[in-house]
Structure formats: structure tokens, C-alpha cells
Amino acid sequence: MTRIALATTRDLAEIDAEDALLLAALPESELVAWEDDHDWASFDLVVIRSTWNYIDRLDEFLAWADHVASVTRIVNPPSIVRWNTDKRYLGQLAEKGVPVVPSVFVAPGERADDAHVAGKVVVKPTVGNGSNGAKLIDSDPEAARAHVAFLHSTGRTALIQPYLDRVDDEGEKSLIHLGGEFSHAATKAAILSQEMSFSAGLYADEELSPATATDQERAVARAVLEAAAQVLPEAADLAYARVDLLPSDDGPVLLELELTEPSLFMPFAPGSPERVAEAFRKLASSPRL
């Protein structure tokens, strides 16, 4: 009998709603905390799902992914996870011609140029998720530098981006792909310009709604995935991907490419739990190379 592990974390207070949907659509699966000691080789497939505490234990998490990959199939694979868990990949995608929110990376010991902290900016860690450590700062260079310094004090590299105000009215569009093919989309309301709450503890609460991706958004998402495969050949064969786009005066631009543990926004697209389940079922039953 096929066995599929949906990797989660024991730090979640309750089961994630998407994990519950996937368990129902994929009865051969079970939730397993990545931190716990398991016989990972007993699974035909391990799917990284709600492992959202990895940002505080990155080295341990990457070592776990390497170990699992040595005994069975894990998606997405460790090389993808290692690349994607540090947002400096945005710079590589921009070099490939992808429209990316302008991004400046400031490592510990470095100082941001005055132009980078002027105006309305977002300062966040390059290793982070769920808006953890992200701060919106409006025309206060000293406050921006202070947050950069705080991130540096914790050993983290800072990412500085201009805040694109159109997100407040139009939201952030997420395009979900399964096996390289577009599946569905959802819109996320602006988070940083609102008072954030963390009811689940590991990520900021989000206001989500169903969405239809435009032809232009789908084209940009396709360009993002193609550029990722140019940077990292393994990215040409992704089990799942979420391309997060922001609206700008010049069209949609990439905010993040989520290849590690993205929510797939299944509650907002009829039939998507079954599509996701079938994609994982096929992977679990296919020969491991």
C-alpha cells in the first residue's frame, strides 16, 4: 500500500486547514512532524507542507531534508529547498530578466545606501515566512536602518524593497502550479499595511479570496518558473510551486516564488484538493530515479 507523509511541525497548535483537506482527499497520507524521529524510508513520498518553524532551525531542517532524500523521495527536493529558503534567489531571477520587486540585500556588516531606505519600504529577513520579521516603514530612514540592524543582531541578512501601494487596493495574486502546470489562483489582501495578528503563532493571519489569473499574470508566472529552471536545473520538474505577484504600474511583478512549504490555497478553488492529491499520488507511485 502506498504511504505518503505530509510533513508538518509539532509546533502547530492545531491541524492546518489545508492539511485537513489533503488528508481527506488523499487517504494514503498521514501527517508527520519533521522534528520527530521516524522511519522515513517507510514512506513512498514525503511532501513538505506545514513545516513553518524551519526559519528558526534552518540548518537542522535542511539536514533533515537531505536525510529524507537519501532514503525516499521528498518534494520539493533538498537542492530546491536550500535555494528557495533564502530570498536572495530573487536577485538571481531578476538577472534572468524576470520582473521582480526591486530588492536590495544587506548582509551583517554591510550598510544600506541612503536611496535604499528612503520612502516607503519593507524591511524583512531573507530567511523568513508568514510575514515574520517583516516591517513596513514609511519615509523614516532611521527606522529602516534600525530594523536592518536588528536583523543583523540576530545573524540575519536583510532584504529591503519599495512598498508597492497598489497592493492595498488590488491585493497580492498567488498562482499555484502542480507538476509545472497552472492549477488555480487566489488573492491575498495586504498584510503589512494593516495591524498584523498571529493566531496560529507561526505566521501572520491572512485574508484570502478566490481569484482568476489574467493572461499577463500567467505569462509572468511562466517566465518566473522558466527562469528558476535556468538558475537551478532541478526546478524544471517541480511537484508544486506558488508564484506570488504584486500589481505595479508596469504590470505584475514577482514578490516571492514559494517552492518549499507554500499554502496552496485549496479552500478557494473548487476541485483543487483532488488535483493536489492526484499530483502527489502519481509521484508516490512513479519509479524513483
Side-chain angles (χ1 to χ4, degrees):
M1 180 178 176
T2 301
R3 295 185 71 208
I4 299 174
L6 305 179
T8 184
T9 171
R10 56 177 179 241
D11 285 351
L12 273 178
E14 57 187 36
I15 184 172
D16 177 66
E18 287 207 350
D19 287 342
L21 284 173
L22 196 48
L23 286 170
L26 192 64
E28 58 267 53
S29 68
E30 57 189 274
L31 277 179
V32 185
W34 75 270
E35 312 98 317
D36 292 343
D37 187 19
H38 293 284
D39 179 12
W40 296 103
S42 68
F43 295 101
D44 300 285
L45 177 69
V46 176
V47 184
I48 303 174
R49 294 307 311 128
S50 47
T51 58
W52 296 315
N53 64 345
Y54 79 86
I55 61 174
D56 298 318
R57 306 167 63 174
L58 183 59
D59 290 343
E60 182 183 353
F61 180 72
L62 294 175
W64 165 80
D66 284 334
H67 167 68
V68 174
S70 73
V71 297
T72 190
R73 174 178 286 161
I74 181 172
V75 292
N76 284 312
S79 58
I80 297 292
V81 172
R82 184 169 280 103
W83 177 72
N84 188 240
T85 47
D86 190 319
K87 293 179 179 59
R88 281 178 284 194
Y89 69 78
L90 290 171
Q92 295 176 288
L93 295 180
E95 290 175 356
K96 295 296 183 182
V98 171
V100 175
V101 177
S103 302
V104 174
F105 308 98
V106 187
E110 298 178 345
R111 176 181 171 84
D113 293 342
D114 290 344
H116 298 149
V117 292
K120 201 171 186 178
V121 298
V122 174
V123 181
K124 56 188 175 183
T126 57
V127 177
N129 60 14
S131 298
N132 283 288
K135 195 169 185 178
L136 172 60
I137 299 166
D138 191 357
S139 302
D140 190 342
E142 290 309 310
R145 291 192 188 281
H147 194 51
V148 169
F150 165 73
L151 294 176
H152 287 176
S153 73
T154 61
R156 293 179 286 180
T157 295
L159 166 58
I160 305 173
Q161 298 174 314
Y163 187 75
L164 304 185
D165 286 299
R166 286 179 57 164
V167 70
D168 290 333
D169 296 321
E170 301 175 42
E172 173 186 326
K173 188 74 68 69
S174 294
L175 280 66
I176 291 83
H177 294 72
L178 302 172
E181 298 298 325
F182 174 73
S183 172
H184 58 280
T187 295
K188 182 192 304 182
I191 294 178
L192 296 180
S193 60
Q194 313 296 322
E195 184 174 351
M196 289 192 290
S197 59
F198 290 79
S199 61
L202 297 179
Y203 55 87
D205 296 328
E206 299 172 339
E207 181 183 335
L208 298 160
S209 59
T212 299
T214 67
D215 289 344
Q216 187 180 25
E217 289 166 341
R218 291 182 63 167
V220 170
R222 172 53 51 192
V224 169
L225 295 175
E226 290 174 353
Q230 292 174 24
V231 174
L232 203 65
E234 302 94 303
D237 186 24
L238 295 168
Y240 51 83
R242 197 184 85 203
V243 183
D244 293 341
L245 303 175
L246 290 183
S248 79
D249 292 342
D250 297 319
V253 292
L254 178 67
L255 177 63
E256 290 189 30
L257 173 59
E258 298 273 9
L259 305 179
T260 302
E261 34 57 61
S263 294
L264 300 175
F265 302 148
M266 290 182 281
F268 305 96
S272 61
E274 291 75 20
R275 289 197 298 275
V276 174
E278 185 57 26
F280 294 157
R281 185 176 291 117
K282 286 181 179 179
L283 277 174
S285 62
S286 62
R288 184 183 174 211
L289 299 180

